Amino acid sequence: MANGQPHLNGAFYGPSIPPPSKSYHRPSRGDGGCGCCGCLGCLCNCCCGCIVNLICQIIITVVIVVGIVVFLLWLIFRPNLLQFHAVDASLTQFNFSTANNNLHYNLALNITARNPNRRIGIYYDDVEVSAFYESQRFSTVNLSQFYQGHKNTSLLSPTFVGQHMILLGTDGISSFNSEKSSGIFKIDVKLNLRVRFKFGFVKFGHYKPKINCPLKVPLTSNGTSSSSSSSSNGVFETTKCSYDL
Protein backbone atom coordinates (compact mmCIF):
# COMPACT_ATOMS: atom_id res chain seq x y z
CA MET A 1 0.00 0.00 0.00
CA ALA A 2 1.07 3.60 -0.45
CA ASN A 3 1.38 4.34 3.33
CA GLY A 4 3.41 1.19 4.11
CA GLN A 5 0.80 -0.31 6.56
CA PRO A 6 0.40 -4.10 6.53
CA HIS A 7 -2.78 -5.43 5.01
CA LEU A 8 -5.32 -6.48 7.72
CA ASN A 9 -8.04 -7.76 5.37
CA GLY A 10 -10.51 -5.32 6.93
CA ALA A 11 -10.60 -7.13 10.39
CA PHE A 12 -10.43 -5.34 13.77
CA TYR A 13 -8.41 -6.84 16.62
CA GLY A 14 -9.34 -5.58 20.12
CA PRO A 15 -7.63 -6.20 23.46
CA SER A 16 -7.05 -9.83 24.50
CA ILE A 17 -9.66 -11.61 26.70
CA PRO A 18 -8.24 -12.69 30.08
CA PRO A 19 -8.67 -16.39 31.08
CA PRO A 20 -11.58 -17.21 33.48
CA SER A 21 -10.65 -17.07 37.16
CA LYS A 22 -10.94 -20.28 39.21
CA SER A 23 -12.94 -20.20 42.45
CA TYR A 24 -12.37 -22.69 45.23
CA HIS A 25 -15.17 -23.66 47.67
CA ARG A 26 -14.03 -25.05 50.98
CA PRO A 27 -16.81 -27.28 52.31
CA SER A 28 -17.94 -26.60 55.86
CA ARG A 29 -18.50 -29.28 58.42
CA GLY A 30 -22.22 -29.23 57.93
CA ASP A 31 -22.07 -29.69 54.16
CA GLY A 32 -20.72 -33.18 53.91
CA GLY A 33 -21.24 -34.61 57.42
CA CYS A 34 -18.45 -35.86 59.59
CA GLY A 35 -17.32 -38.66 57.42
CA CYS A 36 -16.32 -40.95 60.28
CA CYS A 37 -19.64 -40.66 62.17
CA GLY A 38 -23.26 -40.96 61.23
CA CYS A 39 -25.85 -38.22 61.61
CA LEU A 40 -28.99 -38.40 63.76
CA GLY A 41 -30.90 -35.98 61.55
CA CYS A 42 -33.50 -33.89 63.30
CA LEU A 43 -32.78 -35.47 66.68
CA CYS A 44 -29.25 -34.07 66.70
CA ASN A 45 -29.52 -31.06 64.42
CA CYS A 46 -27.78 -29.09 67.16
CA CYS A 47 -24.72 -31.33 66.99
CA CYS A 48 -21.82 -30.39 64.77
CA GLY A 49 -18.86 -32.68 64.72
CA CYS A 50 -18.22 -36.31 65.38
CA ILE A 51 -17.58 -36.01 69.13
CA VAL A 52 -20.72 -34.00 69.85
CA ASN A 53 -22.72 -36.27 67.58
CA LEU A 54 -21.46 -39.30 69.49
CA ILE A 55 -22.41 -37.69 72.81
CA CYS A 56 -25.92 -37.08 71.50
CA GLN A 57 -26.23 -40.73 70.47
CA ILE A 58 -25.05 -41.90 73.91
CA ILE A 59 -27.53 -39.62 75.72
CA ILE A 60 -30.45 -40.77 73.57
CA THR A 61 -29.47 -44.41 74.06
CA VAL A 62 -29.31 -43.98 77.84
CA VAL A 63 -32.72 -42.27 77.90
CA ILE A 64 -34.26 -45.09 75.87
CA VAL A 65 -32.71 -47.78 78.08
CA VAL A 66 -33.86 -46.05 81.29
CA GLY A 67 -37.36 -45.68 79.86
CA ILE A 68 -37.50 -49.39 79.01
CA VAL A 69 -36.26 -50.35 82.50
CA VAL A 70 -38.84 -48.11 84.19
CA PHE A 71 -41.61 -49.56 82.03
CA LEU A 72 -40.55 -53.14 82.83
CA LEU A 73 -40.42 -52.34 86.56
CA TRP A 74 -43.91 -50.86 86.33
CA LEU A 75 -45.16 -54.03 84.62
CA ILE A 76 -43.60 -56.17 87.36
CA PHE A 77 -44.61 -54.17 90.42
CA ARG A 78 -47.80 -52.42 89.20
CA PRO A 79 -47.50 -49.91 92.09
CA ASN A 80 -50.62 -48.25 93.48
CA LEU A 81 -50.92 -45.48 96.06
CA LEU A 82 -51.86 -46.36 99.62
CA GLN A 83 -55.45 -45.49 100.51
CA PHE A 84 -56.62 -43.91 103.77
CA HIS A 85 -60.14 -43.42 105.12
CA ALA A 86 -61.40 -42.08 108.44
CA VAL A 87 -64.20 -44.55 109.16
CA ASP A 88 -65.20 -43.62 112.72
CA ALA A 89 -64.77 -40.75 115.18
CA SER A 90 -65.84 -40.09 118.74
CA LEU A 91 -65.62 -36.57 120.17
CA THR A 92 -66.81 -36.46 123.78
CA GLN A 93 -65.21 -33.17 124.81
CA PHE A 94 -64.31 -30.05 122.83
CA ASN A 95 -64.44 -26.90 124.93
CA PHE A 96 -62.57 -23.65 124.44
CA SER A 97 -62.01 -21.13 127.24
CA THR A 98 -61.55 -17.52 126.17
CA ALA A 99 -60.14 -16.72 129.64
CA ASN A 100 -56.90 -18.69 129.13
CA ASN A 101 -57.23 -19.77 125.45
CA ASN A 102 -57.19 -23.43 126.46
CA LEU A 103 -58.88 -26.06 124.33
CA HIS A 104 -60.05 -29.17 126.22
CA TYR A 105 -60.54 -32.18 123.96
CA ASN A 106 -61.24 -35.91 123.91
CA LEU A 107 -61.17 -37.35 120.41
CA ALA A 108 -60.84 -40.98 119.29
CA LEU A 109 -60.50 -42.01 115.64
CA ASN A 110 -60.42 -45.12 113.50
CA ILE A 111 -58.50 -44.70 110.24
CA THR A 112 -58.02 -47.51 107.72
CA ALA A 113 -54.80 -47.80 105.73
CA ARG A 114 -55.20 -49.93 102.61
CA ASN A 115 -52.33 -51.49 100.64
CA PRO A 116 -53.85 -52.33 97.22
CA ASN A 117 -50.62 -53.76 95.76
CA ARG A 118 -50.36 -57.46 94.93
CA ARG A 119 -46.59 -57.78 95.07
CA ILE A 120 -45.46 -55.01 97.41
CA GLY A 121 -45.52 -55.06 101.21
CA ILE A 122 -45.27 -51.90 103.33
CA TYR A 123 -43.19 -51.23 106.42
CA TYR A 124 -44.60 -48.35 108.47
CA ASP A 125 -41.50 -47.22 110.36
CA ASP A 126 -43.02 -43.97 111.70
CA VAL A 127 -46.68 -43.11 112.13
CA GLU A 128 -47.30 -39.62 113.53
CA VAL A 129 -50.90 -38.41 113.74
CA SER A 130 -51.73 -34.77 114.54
CA ALA A 131 -55.05 -33.00 115.14
CA PHE A 132 -55.67 -29.40 114.06
CA TYR A 133 -58.42 -26.90 114.72
CA GLU A 134 -58.54 -23.63 112.76
CA SER A 135 -55.13 -24.55 111.28
CA GLN A 136 -53.57 -24.83 114.75
CA ARG A 137 -52.24 -28.11 116.04
CA PHE A 138 -53.56 -29.04 119.46
CA SER A 139 -52.35 -32.64 119.83
CA THR A 140 -49.97 -35.23 118.34
CA VAL A 141 -49.67 -38.98 118.98
CA ASN A 142 -47.21 -41.55 117.66
CA LEU A 143 -48.45 -45.03 116.82
CA SER A 144 -46.48 -48.27 116.84
CA GLN A 145 -44.52 -49.54 113.86
CA PHE A 146 -46.07 -52.34 111.83
CA TYR A 147 -45.81 -54.28 108.59
CA GLN A 148 -48.65 -54.46 106.09
CA GLY A 149 -48.87 -57.32 103.61
CA HIS A 150 -50.19 -57.47 100.06
CA LYS A 151 -53.82 -56.47 99.43
CA ASN A 152 -54.25 -55.79 103.13
CA THR A 153 -56.10 -53.22 105.25
CA SER A 154 -54.81 -52.06 108.66
CA LEU A 155 -56.66 -50.07 111.31
CA LEU A 156 -55.07 -47.04 112.96
CA SER A 157 -56.72 -45.88 116.18
CA PRO A 158 -55.22 -42.62 117.47
CA THR A 159 -56.70 -41.02 120.62
CA PHE A 160 -56.27 -37.36 121.58
CA VAL A 161 -57.02 -36.43 125.19
CA GLY A 162 -55.96 -33.36 127.15
CA GLN A 163 -55.80 -29.61 126.84
CA HIS A 164 -53.73 -27.22 124.78
CA MET A 165 -53.51 -23.47 124.38
CA ILE A 166 -54.46 -22.13 120.95
CA LEU A 167 -55.04 -18.57 119.72
CA LEU A 168 -58.26 -18.33 117.78
CA GLY A 169 -58.85 -14.61 117.41
CA THR A 170 -62.23 -13.00 116.76
CA ASP A 171 -63.05 -14.96 113.61
CA GLY A 172 -61.87 -18.22 115.15
CA ILE A 173 -64.00 -17.74 118.27
CA SER A 174 -66.99 -16.90 116.08
CA SER A 175 -66.45 -20.12 114.06
CA PHE A 176 -66.09 -22.15 117.25
CA ASN A 177 -69.36 -20.80 118.69
CA SER A 178 -71.13 -21.50 115.40
CA GLU A 179 -69.89 -25.07 115.29
CA LYS A 180 -70.69 -25.55 118.95
CA SER A 181 -74.30 -24.54 118.24
CA SER A 182 -74.53 -27.01 115.35
CA GLY A 183 -72.82 -29.76 117.37
CA ILE A 184 -70.31 -30.57 114.61
CA PHE A 185 -66.69 -29.43 114.62
CA LYS A 186 -64.34 -29.20 111.65
CA ILE A 187 -61.13 -30.91 112.71
CA ASP A 188 -58.21 -31.69 110.42
CA VAL A 189 -56.21 -34.83 111.13
CA LYS A 190 -52.85 -35.24 109.40
CA LEU A 191 -50.61 -38.29 109.18
CA ASN A 192 -46.86 -37.98 108.73
CA LEU A 193 -45.51 -41.37 107.68
CA ARG A 194 -42.15 -42.92 106.95
CA VAL A 195 -42.52 -46.11 104.97
CA ARG A 196 -40.42 -48.70 103.16
CA PHE A 197 -41.45 -51.14 100.47
CA LYS A 198 -40.79 -54.88 100.27
CA PHE A 199 -40.72 -56.97 97.10
CA GLY A 200 -39.89 -60.61 97.75
CA PHE A 201 -36.85 -60.50 100.05
CA VAL A 202 -35.78 -57.04 98.92
CA LYS A 203 -36.55 -53.94 101.00
CA PHE A 204 -36.11 -50.55 99.42
CA GLY A 205 -37.04 -46.89 99.69
CA HIS A 206 -37.54 -44.47 102.54
CA TYR A 207 -40.54 -42.33 101.69
CA LYS A 208 -42.37 -39.77 103.81
CA PRO A 209 -45.94 -39.35 102.55
CA LYS A 210 -48.21 -36.82 104.23
CA ILE A 211 -51.93 -37.57 104.51
CA ASN A 212 -54.67 -35.03 105.23
CA CYS A 213 -58.11 -35.97 106.57
CA PRO A 214 -60.55 -33.04 106.80
CA LEU A 215 -63.19 -34.26 109.25
CA LYS A 216 -66.58 -33.07 110.42
CA VAL A 217 -66.94 -34.65 113.84
CA PRO A 218 -70.17 -34.52 115.88
CA LEU A 219 -69.84 -33.80 119.59
CA THR A 220 -71.30 -36.66 121.57
CA SER A 221 -72.15 -37.25 125.21
CA ASN A 222 -72.43 -40.79 126.56
CA GLY A 223 -72.56 -42.13 123.04
CA THR A 224 -75.36 -39.81 121.88
CA SER A 225 -75.13 -36.71 119.76
CA SER A 226 -75.43 -33.32 121.43
CA SER A 227 -77.23 -31.96 118.40
CA SER A 228 -79.26 -33.47 115.57
CA SER A 229 -79.74 -30.33 113.50
CA SER A 230 -76.93 -31.16 111.04
CA SER A 231 -77.42 -32.77 107.64
CA SER A 232 -75.72 -35.94 108.86
CA ASN A 233 -78.05 -36.16 111.90
CA GLY A 234 -75.08 -36.19 114.26
CA VAL A 235 -73.54 -39.35 112.72
CA PHE A 236 -69.94 -39.31 111.59
CA GLU A 237 -69.56 -39.98 107.88
CA THR A 238 -66.65 -41.94 106.44
CA THR A 239 -64.14 -39.50 104.97
CA LYS A 240 -61.57 -40.21 102.28
CA CYS A 241 -58.15 -38.79 103.09
CA SER A 242 -55.88 -37.28 100.47
CA TYR A 243 -52.16 -36.84 99.96
CA ASP A 244 -50.92 -33.47 101.18
CA LEU A 245 -48.59 -32.15 98.48
Side-chain angles (χ1 to χ4, degrees), residues 126-182:
D126 288 325
V127 182
E128 180 186 88
V129 189
S130 300
F132 293 77
Y133 182 74
E134 291 292 321
S135 301
Q136 296 190 57
R137 181 171 60 180
F138 61 85
S139 185
T140 297
V141 297
N142 290 284
L143 304 182
S144 300
Q145 301 177 350
F146 66 96
Y147 171 76
Q148 186 177 52
H150 315 148
K151 305 287 287 185
N152 188 267
T153 300
S154 302
L155 183 65
L156 310 178
S157 299
T159 300
F160 309 93
V161 180
Q163 63 179 3
H164 189 78
M165 186 179 71
I166 60 175
L167 302 177
L168 293 182
T170 303
D171 293 339
I173 294 175
S174 177
S175 297
F176 178 86
N177 292 332
S178 177
E179 293 175 11
K180 184 178 180 179
S181 298
S182 67

Side-chain angles (χ1 to χ4, degrees), residues 156-236:
L156 310 178
S157 299
T159 300
F160 309 93
V161 180
Q163 63 179 3
H164 189 78
M165 186 179 71
I166 60 175
L167 302 177
L168 293 182
T170 303
D171 293 339
I173 294 175
S174 177
S175 297
F176 178 86
N177 292 332
S178 177
E179 293 175 11
K180 184 178 180 179
S181 298
S182 67
I184 295 180
F185 290 93
K186 297 179 181 179
I187 300 174
D188 292 327
V189 174
K190 298 184 178 183
L191 289 76
N192 292 325
L193 308 174
R194 187 166 65 94
V195 301
R196 289 176 296 152
F197 302 126
K198 179 183 178 183
F199 178 74
F201 296 101
V202 179
K203 303 174 185 178
F204 58 93
H206 249 124
Y207 300 95
K208 297 181 179 180
K210 297 182 179 181
I211 312 299
N212 183 34
C213 305
L215 309 179
K216 294 182 179 180
V217 186
L219 181 65
T220 61
S221 177
N222 296 326
T224 60
S225 172
S226 62
S227 174
S228 59
S229 60
S230 64
S231 58
S232 62
N233 294 322
V235 178
F236 178 79

Side-chain angles (χ1 to χ4, degrees), residues 80-84 114-117 122 124 148 195 197 243:
N80 292 292
L81 291 175
L82 303 177
Q83 302 167 358
F84 297 86
R114 173 70 176 171
N115 176 15
N117 297 286
I122 309 294
Y124 291 81
Q148 186 177 52
V195 301
F197 302 126
Y243 284 82

Side-chain angles (χ1 to χ4, degrees), residues 65-82:
V65 171
V66 171
I68 294 175
V69 171
V70 171
F71 178 70
L72 291 177
L73 290 176
W74 181 84
L75 288 178
I76 294 173
F77 292 108
R78 294 293 181 94
N80 292 292
L81 291 175
L82 303 177

